[in-house]
Each structure stands twice: as C-alpha cells, then as structure tokens.
Amino acid sequence: MALTKVQKTQASAMGAFAKAGDLQKRILFTLVALVVFRFGTFVPLPGINPDVLSEVFNRNASGLLGMFDTFAGGALSRMTLLALNIMPYISASIIIQLGAAIFPSLIALKKEGEAGHRKMNQYTRYLTVLITILQGYGLAVALENMTSSTGASAVLMESAWLFRITTVVSLLGGTLFVVWLGEQITSRGVGNGTSLIITAGIIAEIPSAFARTFELGRVGQLSNTMLLVILFMVVALIYIVVFVERAQRRIIIQYPKGQMGGRVLSAKNSYFPLKINPTGVMPPIFASALLMLPLTVLQFMSDGAQSGWAQNLTVWLGRGGILYMTLYALLIIFFTFFYTGVVFNPADTADNLKKNGGFIAGIRPGKSTAEYLDYVVTRLTVLGAFYLAALCVFPEILIAELSVPFFLGGTTLLIVVTVIMETMSQIQSHLVAYQYESLIRKAQLKGRL
C-alpha cells in the first residue's frame, strides 16, 4: 500500500511537471545558461603558451590556487576568459554587506526597501569592476614571471604591456558576463544563479578528480584501503550534509479562538521551523572568496621575483597549513553568525506573529518573544557554525596529507549537495504553485457552469 501511494505521488508530480510549461521553460533556460558558462571556461586568454602554463600550474596546484580553480570550474588552470569566474562579485558582495552593518549611509540605504536594495546591487557591481581590474592586473603581472621548469620557455608569447591590457579587459568582460548570466538564471530560471554557476564548475571537474584519485592508487601512492576510506568519507559527508540541512527546530505557535461571521473558529496550532544551518553554502563561499581576494596571485609569483614575506605567506596558506586552516575556520564561523543576522531578524518575526495573533506558549508577545527567538537562533547558529567549520576543515587535513584532489573535500560536497537540494525545493514549490493554480481555474470554471 505504501509503495502504491509513493507511486501515485510520483505519477502525480510527473503529470503536473508535464503540464507546467513555465517551469519547463525555466529549467531549460537554466540548463542552456550553464552550458554557455561551461563553453566560456574553454575560451583562452590571448598571448599565452598553454603547454608552459599547464606545467607551471601542475607545480603550484595546491592551497588557495587549487581552491580557486575548483570554483572556476578549471578555467584558471586553462587561463580562460572566465578565469576569475564570479568570485570578484562575491568578494564585492561581502564588502558591501559588511559595510551595510557598519556605515550609517549604507545602513539607511538598506532600510529603504526595494529602491535601497537596487542601489546596493549597483554599488556591488561597481565594486566588482574595481576588484576584477585589480585582480586581473595582478594575474597578468604574475603570468609574466612564469617560465618552464628549465627556464627555457615563458608563458607569454607577446609584449608585457599589450598582454596586461588585453588580459584585464578580457577578464573584466568575462566576469561581468558571468555576473549577468547568474542574475538571469535567478530571475528567469530556477535556483540561485551564483550558486548554480559555482556548482556547475565543481561538478564538471569531479570526474577528473576521481580519475586522479584512482590514478594515485594505481601508481601506489594510495593503498586500496585508503581509497575505500576516501570513498566512505565522501559518502558519509554527503549523508551528514543532507541530514543536517534537512534538520529543523520547530517552535510551536498557538493562535487563539476567532470568529468569522456567525461561526466560532477553534484555536489552532502551527509551528515555526528554524534550520540548524539557515545560511546554506554562503559562509564557506564567503570565507573562500575573502581568502582569495588579497592572495590570488601569490602562488603564481613564486616562479619569479617574490619578496620573503610573500613567499612565507604562500607557504603558510598552502593546503593543510596551520594559518590556512585557522583562518578558514574562523571566517566560516564569523560569516555563519553574520549571514544569520542578515537573513533572520527576531524582532521583525515577533512583530509579525503579534500582528497575526500568534504566540509561543509561556512567552509574552512582543519583546519577550523576540528575546526567546534570538536565544534559540543563537544556540542553533553556534551548532551550525561549528558544523560548517568541521565539515569544511577536517577533510582538508586528509586531502593535504594524501594529496587527494580538492573536489572531494567537505567544502565542494557541501556546495554541490546543498545547491542541488535548494534547486529541487524551488522546483517543487513551482509544481505546488502550478497545482494550486490549476485547482483554482477548475473551481472557477465549475462556478461559471
């Protein structure tokens, strides 16, 4: 009987999907946009020797450089138009959101509603242009210092200044195109465009990551037992992510008796769900972007003239380094608390409950409800912050020790699994909305008849 109900539910969902033309168009648009993005990750920058670049990158593909290439979908190692991907936009978003919590002018702008939100988005785009120009110029200068291991061949095949100008312009155009594409996916497709673009890049590189891991086993660098341990770790991380992301702390909301017309409505209860991790994948992405912002080209610069402090910083920020792990964990914890404060306001939630007549048993409406919600959310945020930090940092230690590709780490698995879950949730929401609209249309048609 249970199996029959599941089959009926699946058949009903498939039938609704087959009739939901708008949802099909949204999904198709999203897929086409992601395909266009993937094509862009293979358009090379002009004036680069790909053979020398590949050799240099293989010598330095660790730490932040490998992480950056992960989020860029391999575009950095190929040095394409989309080498910086959407990370400058994320860095700009972090700076603007931090500023909106500190500077009075941005705080006032944030309170202006939709108009203020559009203005802040415009400031984010301007800052994205500035960050992209700085990172693009730094990357171009770093590429000038790259040579093969023998020193006989250089990465560049044209004059330095011409290469700098073309590189900055090309990278700026590529980054702005990705930002525009992400906005189009968010408004005309399904899911969050920024997250989907990062996820698409990670998923595209996962098969080669598995191939490199099994190659390590074939040549004897990894034992069969260790390969099984790594595969078990991947499956366990996926299970933990799904379990925690679906977990909720439900607060019972009570509504008093009411009267509608001549009828007395009985009291009813509802619940207010609070997720353990309401921030999703944003803290790890923000932390990664902030680490990458000042250090984008440090590892590239190790092939040329580099100051002593920069060389030491490159070593300390390598995969498995104490400074790298510490900063990464602290930034994840900070952004978990920061982003929770952005997406959830206990005072506003308490006011909305009070206006609708709802209350929490044993808690006075208004200020007391806000304080109680803040207390519960703070405890959940502590748990969520340490969950994210442990999930993203501990696998990094194993990856650093075994030289396993970064794609099999906690950060990438968290991003992929969470984004897929959120996208499927949006698709289900579209299906439910379509089914309700269909029922309303049928009811109106029967009323006319």
Side-chain angles (χ1 to χ4, degrees):
M1 180 64 71
L3 183 60
T4 303
K5 289 182 179 180
V6 171
Q7 291 175 342
K8 288 182 179 179
T9 303
Q10 292 176 345
S12 176
M14 291 300 297
F17 177 77
K19 297 177 182 179
D22 180 67
L23 178 59
Q24 294 176 12
K25 292 178 182 179
R26 284 179 172 272
I27 294 176
L28 180 61
F29 178 85
T30 302
L31 294 176
V32 171
L34 293 178
V35 170
V36 171
F37 161 72
R38 285 303 299 165
F39 275 123
T41 61
F42 289 92
V43 181
L45 290 174
I48 291 180
N49 187 328
D51 296 329
V52 179
L53 175 66
S54 178
E55 179 190 341
V56 173
F57 192 90
N58 289 334
R59 296 203 310 265
N60 297 279
S62 61
L64 293 179
L65 186 59
M67 181 186 291
F68 205 157
D69 192 47
T70 299
F71 293 143
L76 181 63
S77 60
R78 294 186 289 270
M79 206 55 65
T80 67
L81 297 179
L82 307 186
L84 297 181
N85 200 9
I86 205 166
M87 301 312 291
Y89 177 76
I90 294 176
S91 301
S93 300
I94 296 170
I95 296 173
I96 295 297
Q97 289 189 22
L98 288 174
I102 300 173
F103 299 107
S105 58
L106 290 178
I107 293 175
L109 194 63
K110 187 178 179 180
K111 296 179 180 179
E112 292 182 5
E114 186 62 29
H117 182 68
R118 287 198 299 267
K119 196 70 175 178
M120 290 183 68
N121 283 342
Q122 197 68 21
Y123 290 157
T124 303
R125 295 188 185 97
Y126 293 151
L127 189 57
T128 300
V129 172
L130 177 61
I131 292 174
T132 305
I133 291 175
L134 293 176
Q135 288 188 329
Y137 182 81
L139 191 58
V141 172
L143 287 169
E144 295 174 9
N145 297 322
M146 291 186 186
T147 59
S148 62
S149 56
T150 60
S153 302
V155 169
L156 299 191
M157 297 188 298
E158 57 184 29
S159 63
W161 274 107
L162 178 61
F163 176 76
R164 293 179 187 181
I165 295 173
T166 56
T167 297
V168 170
V169 172
S170 300
L171 291 176
L172 178 60
T175 298
L176 294 181
F177 172 74
V178 174
V179 172
W180 175 83
L181 195 63
E183 292 176 348
Q184 295 302 308
I185 292 174
T186 302
S187 60
R188 301 175 60 184
V190 290
N192 181 281
T194 301
S195 300
L196 281 173
I197 284 175
I198 295 175
T199 303
I202 294 173
I203 292 176
E205 298 295 320
I206 283 179
S208 61
F210 274 107
R212 292 197 298 273
T213 303
F214 286 118
E215 179 65 16
L216 292 176
R218 189 185 68 82
V219 298
Q221 294 186 25
L222 287 178
S223 64
N224 293 333
T225 303
M226 190 54 64
L227 284 175
L228 291 176
V229 169
I230 293 173
L231 293 177
F232 175 79
M233 182 191 73
V234 171
V235 175
L237 288 176
I238 293 174
Y239 176 81
I240 291 172
V241 170
V242 174
F243 179 80
V244 175
E245 295 300 324
R246 293 176 65 90
Q248 295 178 346
R249 166 73 159 87
R250 295 183 176 183
I251 299 177
I252 303 299
I253 306 296
Q254 297 181 349
Y255 292 90
K257 293 181 180 180
Q259 186 171 353
M260 181 179 292
R263 293 187 305 164
V264 177
L265 302 177
S266 60
K268 60 179 181 178
N269 294 337
S270 179
Y271 66 86
F272 186 75
L274 293 173
K275 295 182 64 176
I276 293 179
N277 176 33
T279 60
V281 300
M282 299 315 296
I285 293 178
F286 280 5
S288 303
L290 203 60
L291 282 172
M292 294 172 192
L293 180 59
L295 301 170
T296 304
V297 297
L298 274 179
Q299 289 185 327
F300 280 124
M301 293 172 62
S302 63
D303 283 283
Q306 188 182 31
S307 59
W309 68 267
Q311 291 179 351
N312 293 333
L313 191 58
T314 301
V315 174
W316 293 339
L317 284 172
R319 179 64 45 76
I322 295 177
L323 180 60
Y324 166 77
M325 295 295 184
T326 304
L327 286 177
Y328 195 35
L330 291 177
L331 286 173
I332 288 175
I333 293 173
F334 168 76
F335 281 117
T336 302
F337 279 92
F338 174 78
Y339 205 71
T340 299
V342 171
V343 300
F344 182 78
N345 190 320
D348 292 344
T349 304
D351 289 340
N352 291 333
L353 287 175
K354 187 176 180 180
K355 291 177 183 178
N356 293 312
F359 63 93
I360 302 172
I363 307 295
R364 289 174 177 247
K367 184 179 179 181
S368 298
T369 299
E371 291 175 350
Y372 175 76
L373 290 175
D374 183 65
Y375 170 73
V376 174
V377 170
T378 301
R379 292 172 63 190
L380 291 176
T381 304
V382 170
L383 184 61
F386 282 97
Y387 147 74
L388 287 176
L391 183 70
C392 296
V393 172
F394 286 160
E396 296 297 317
I397 299 175
L398 181 62
I399 291 173
E401 295 296 328
L402 301 177
S403 300
V404 179
F406 175 77
F407 302 93
L408 304 181
T411 306
T412 52
L413 292 177
L414 173 69
I415 293 173
V416 171
V417 175
T418 304
V419 171
I420 290 176
M421 290 175 61
E422 291 177 353
T423 305
M424 293 302 298
S425 178
Q426 283 202 20
I427 292 175
Q428 290 176 354
S429 299
H430 280 288
L431 285 176
V432 171
Y434 173 79
Q435 289 174 334
Y436 277 128
E437 291 176 0
S438 179
L439 290 174
I440 292 174
R441 286 196 300 267
K442 289 180 180 179
Q444 291 175 345
L445 182 61
K446 288 182 179 179
R448 293 174 183 174
L449 296 176

